[in-house]
Amino acid sequence: MERESMDGHCKTYQDLKKYRDQHILEHVSSNDALNRFHDFILKNVFDIALRSIIDEFGSPPCGYTWFVMGSAGRFEQAVISDQDHGLIYENANHESKLFFEALGKEITTGLHFVGYPYCEGNIMSSNPKWCKSIEAWEHQIKTWMESDTWESIRYLLMFYDARAVVGNKEDVTVLKGIVCNYIDDHPEFLQRLMDNTMHLKKAIGIFGQFIVKNHGPYTGSIHLKDTCFFPYINVMRLLSIKEKIMETSTLVRLSHLLTFPRYDEALVTFEENFKKLLEYRMMNHEEKKEYDDFHYLKISLLTPEQKKELKRIIKDGKRFHQYVQCVIRKGC
C-alpha cells in the first residue's frame, strides 16, 4: 500500500475517517496486512496534524520522532485499537516545547476522530509526560529505572515496545539502549521487571474448564488479552530486554531469540501458538463494533477441537512464564 494513493483525497480527518471505515475490513486477511493498514492511517493522521500545527506555528523548530507503543508498537493491533504513543524532539527549549506539545494534542485529537479511542491511562502525545525533548526523555528513563513504584516499571516496559512511525528512528533505539546498559550494571533489575509482569490471570479451572465471565455483555467469554496474549507478549519482551533485542513485534523478537541455541528447544511451539491467538482474536470480527469486543472470545463459538487447542495454548503460555522466571532468576 502506497501513501501516495490517498494524495488529494484525504486532506482532512473527516476524509481519512471515511477512508478508514470503508477499507479496513479489506485488510483483515492477516495480522500483517491489517497492521500495515493501521500504519498507513497513523502516518496520514500525523501528516494532517503536522500541517495544521505548521499553519499556526510555522515549520518544526528541530528534528523529532513520533512513536507508538502497546499493540501498535508491537505491530499487533486488532481492527479497533486504542491510542498509545509519544513524541521525542531534539532541542530542549521553549519554542520546541510549545510546538510539539501542540502537535501532540493535535495528533491525539485527530486519531480519536478517525477511529482510535483515547487511552484510558492518558499514555498519549497530548500528555507532557509522553512528549519531551531527547534530553528530558533520557532523564525520564533513568528516573523510571531508579523508582520503586509499580507504575514506573509499567511505563518502562511499555516504552520498550515503542516503535518509531515518523521521524528519526534512532532516537527510540538510543533510549532503549539506556535500559539495556543499566541492566548490564544492575542485572538484578531484570527480576524487578519480571515481578511486574509475571502474574497470570487464570483462564482454566482445576477441572479443566474455561473460567468465563458470568455476567455482563461478555458472559460466557474469556478475556483473550489478559489470559492468552499477555503471557506470550510479556515473556518475549523480557527475554528481548535481557538479550538487547530492539525489535518490537512479538514474532520478530522470537525469530531473533531462536538464533540463540539456549532458547531454541524451549520456544519451539511459541510461534505457532501466537499466530493461532491472532486468528482467534479475529473470529467473528464483523460482529465486533467496540474496542473491548476484540479482547473477548465467546467459548460457545468454538468447536471441540478449537477448545482443546486453545487450552493447550494457554497451558503453554504458563509453561513459557515458568521457563522465563527460571532463566532470569538463574541469570542464564
Side-chain angles (χ1 to χ4, degrees):
M1 182 188 308
E2 298 295 334
R3 297 184 70 189
E4 289 77 13
S5 65
M6 285 176 49
D7 282 358
H9 300 288
C10 293
K11 294 183 178 179
T12 68
Y13 298 130
Q14 290 87 346
D15 290 340
L16 190 56
K17 175 177 172 54
K18 181 178 179 181
Y19 182 90
R20 180 186 183 278
D21 292 346
Q22 288 178 340
H23 296 283
I24 192 167
L25 294 184
E26 299 170 8
H27 301 276
V28 296
S29 59
S30 71
N31 178 73
D32 184 63
L34 177 59
N35 279 270
R36 281 190 284 111
F37 182 81
H38 278 305
D39 265 19
F40 178 66
I41 299 297
L42 294 177
K43 291 173 182 177
N44 279 277
V45 168
F46 182 91
D47 287 347
I48 295 170
L50 182 60
R51 288 198 298 268
S52 175
I53 298 304
I54 288 174
D55 287 344
E56 182 177 355
F57 289 86
S59 298
C62 62
Y64 55 85
T65 303
W66 183 53
F67 62 88
V68 293
M69 297 169 288
S71 60
R74 294 188 303 273
F75 209 65
E76 294 161 4
Q77 290 173 283
V79 172
I80 301 176
S81 180
D82 69 347
Q83 301 185 40
D84 293 291
H85 50 88
L87 273 165
I88 305 166
Y89 50 91
E90 292 179 2
N91 295 346
N93 55 45
H94 185 63
E95 179 187 12
S96 297
K97 184 175 185 293
L98 287 178
F99 183 95
F100 289 104
E101 287 188 355
L103 177 59
K105 291 176 182 177
E106 183 66 25
I107 292 169
T108 302
T109 300
L111 286 171
H112 182 262
F113 185 93
V114 169
Y116 298 85
Y118 291 125
C119 172
E120 292 184 359
N122 199 23
I123 301 172
M124 301 177 288
S125 303
S126 52
N127 182 350
K129 181 179 288 188
W130 296 94
C131 178
K132 301 175 183 291
S133 69
I134 185 71
E135 179 182 318
W137 267 113
E138 290 172 354
H139 177 74
Q140 180 68 83
I141 297 293
K142 293 172 183 176
T143 300
W144 283 338
M145 289 189 296
E146 293 168 357
S147 172
D148 291 329
T149 68
W150 176 88
E151 185 180 63
S152 294
I153 297 299
R154 173 174 169 263
Y155 287 155
L156 197 64
L157 289 168
M158 287 194 67
F159 186 83
Y160 207 81
D161 284 346
R163 176 172 63 89
V165 176
V166 177
N168 182 9
K169 297 181 180 181
E170 187 63 23
D171 287 344
V172 172
T173 302
V174 167
L175 292 172
K176 290 183 184 181
I178 295 174
V179 180
C180 295
N181 292 337
Y182 184 85
I183 290 173
D184 284 342
D185 296 330
H186 305 85
E188 71 281 359
F189 187 65
L190 269 174
Q191 178 72 46
R192 288 185 57 204
L193 296 179
M194 184 181 74
D195 291 344
N196 184 277
T197 61
M198 298 309 275
H199 174 72
L200 291 178
K201 187 172 182 179
K202 291 185 67 175
I204 301 175
I206 58 174
F207 300 110
Q209 80 282 16
F210 285 106
I211 301 175
V212 299
K213 289 186 70 67
N214 55 22
H215 64 276
Y218 301 109
T219 297
S221 301
I222 62 170
H223 196 289
L224 268 178
K225 187 176 180 180
D226 288 349
T227 62
C228 300
F229 276 96
F230 276 169
Y232 286 82
I233 290 167
N234 289 342
V235 299
M236 200 51 54
R237 182 195 297 115
L238 283 169
L239 289 180
S240 296
I241 293 172
K242 181 180 184 296
E243 303 298 348
K244 299 181 175 64
I245 295 169
M246 299 296 176
E247 283 82 358
T248 57
S249 159
T250 300
L251 290 174
V252 174
R253 285 170 168 171
L254 172 65
S255 69
H256 283 272
L257 285 168
L258 289 177
T259 65
F260 293 76
R262 60 182 173 274
Y263 297 127
D264 190 4
E265 184 176 352
L267 300 176
V268 67
T269 63
F270 193 107
E271 181 176 16
E272 178 186 355
N273 287 357
F274 195 76
K275 286 181 176 179
K276 284 289 184 180
L277 287 177
L278 293 171
E279 292 176 10
Y280 279 118
R281 187 179 63 182
M282 291 304 296
M283 285 184 64
N284 301 100
H285 65 266
E286 65 279 356
E287 299 175 7
K288 299 177 179 181
K289 307 300 181 184
E290 304 294 334
Y291 170 61
D292 284 341
D293 293 349
F294 287 91
H295 292 161
Y296 288 91
L297 177 66
K298 196 170 185 65
I299 295 302
S300 62
L301 297 176
L302 303 180
T303 66
E305 292 77 15
Q306 288 173 325
K307 291 177 184 178
K308 182 178 179 180
E309 178 181 62
L310 187 58
K311 286 179 181 179
R312 178 187 59 77
I313 291 172
I314 292 170
K315 291 176 181 177
D316 280 352
K318 182 176 181 180
R319 180 172 59 82
F320 288 136
H321 257 231
Q322 293 169 341
Y323 167 73
V324 172
Q325 285 177 317
C326 178
V327 168
I328 290 177
R329 284 171 181 160
K330 291 182 177 180
C332 56

